[in-house]
Amino acid sequence: MFFAINGVDTTPIKNGDKVKVEYVGTLDDGTVFDSSEVHGKPLEFEVGTKQVIKGFEDAIIGMEKGEEKFVRLESSEAYGNPSEQLIKQVPRDKMPPAKLKPGMMLGVSLANGAQVPAKITEVTDTEVTIDLNHPLAGKALNFKIKVVDIDS
């Protein structure tokens, strides 16, 4: 479907479109966890390619250039719920020689070469407990979204 608003042709966003969006992401307590302003430019991605979390992508489908929206995503639509299987104990001698303490974040290399963030939750003389869950797992996320550009 094709629309004209104030003389400007607009088409609703669909899978395959390349979009630019400005956004602010907040937690329920109002804490800003991310925004396009922090990155200095709009977020650009192709809809339907799983480059962003599912709930965010679902929220922009059907929006038009210039449109703004507020959306709340439950954890299941964002980073899921924390998994006990992603909490691992690693022998202390397999960890970097740096002074490690709970709350520190590390980059952990996976077998496929990808890096994921891990939070240290406990340190003893013999092992370090790390949490490989995404830092936003288990949290509802709120987004204010504005569509800046659509390239069909």
Side-chain angles (χ1 to χ4, degrees):
M1 188 167 279
F2 191 81
F3 299 92
I5 300 173
N6 297 331
V8 177
D9 296 329
T10 61
T11 304
I13 294 172
K14 64 189 176 318
N15 281 333
D17 289 346
K18 292 182 176 85
V19 297
K20 292 181 184 178
V21 296
E22 293 175 347
Y23 69 94
V24 176
T26 59
L27 302 176
D28 284 342
D29 67 3
T31 302
V32 175
F33 64 85
D34 196 13
S35 74
S36 54
E37 185 176 326
V38 167
H39 300 285
K41 61 182 181 179
L43 173 64
E44 297 180 44
F45 65 97
E46 184 177 335
V47 180
T49 59
K50 300 181 181 179
Q51 295 174 301
V52 298
I53 56 176
K54 182 178 177 356
F56 190 93
E57 192 168 71
D58 290 348
I60 69 156
I61 291 176
M63 290 181 72
E64 299 171 2
K65 185 175 179 177
E67 186 176 348
E68 294 184 41
K69 179 190 276 190
F70 177 84
V71 63
R72 183 173 192 277
L73 306 178
E74 296 302 326
S75 62
S76 61
E77 301 168 288
Y79 293 99
N81 291 315
S83 168
E84 289 294 321
Q85 294 175 331
L86 293 176
I87 298 174
K88 307 287 184 187
Q89 283 75 36
V90 180
R92 179 67 183 91
D93 62 359
K94 300 285 186 199
M95 297 295 290
K99 181 170 171 66
L100 303 175
K101 53 187 171 183
M104 287 178 73
M105 295 296 291
L106 300 171
V108 175
S109 295
L110 301 178
N112 66 3
Q115 278 226 334
V116 295
K119 182 178 183 179
I120 296 175
T121 59
E122 186 178 357
V123 178
T124 69
D125 289 338
T126 58
E127 66 183 18
V128 177
T129 303
I130 60 173
D131 184 349
L132 294 162
N133 285 290
H134 190 281
L136 296 173
K139 297 183 182 339
L141 307 180
N142 304 294
F143 288 98
K144 180 180 177 188
I145 303 167
K146 179 180 181 181
V147 177
V148 177
D149 198 17
I150 305 169
D151 185 12
S152 296

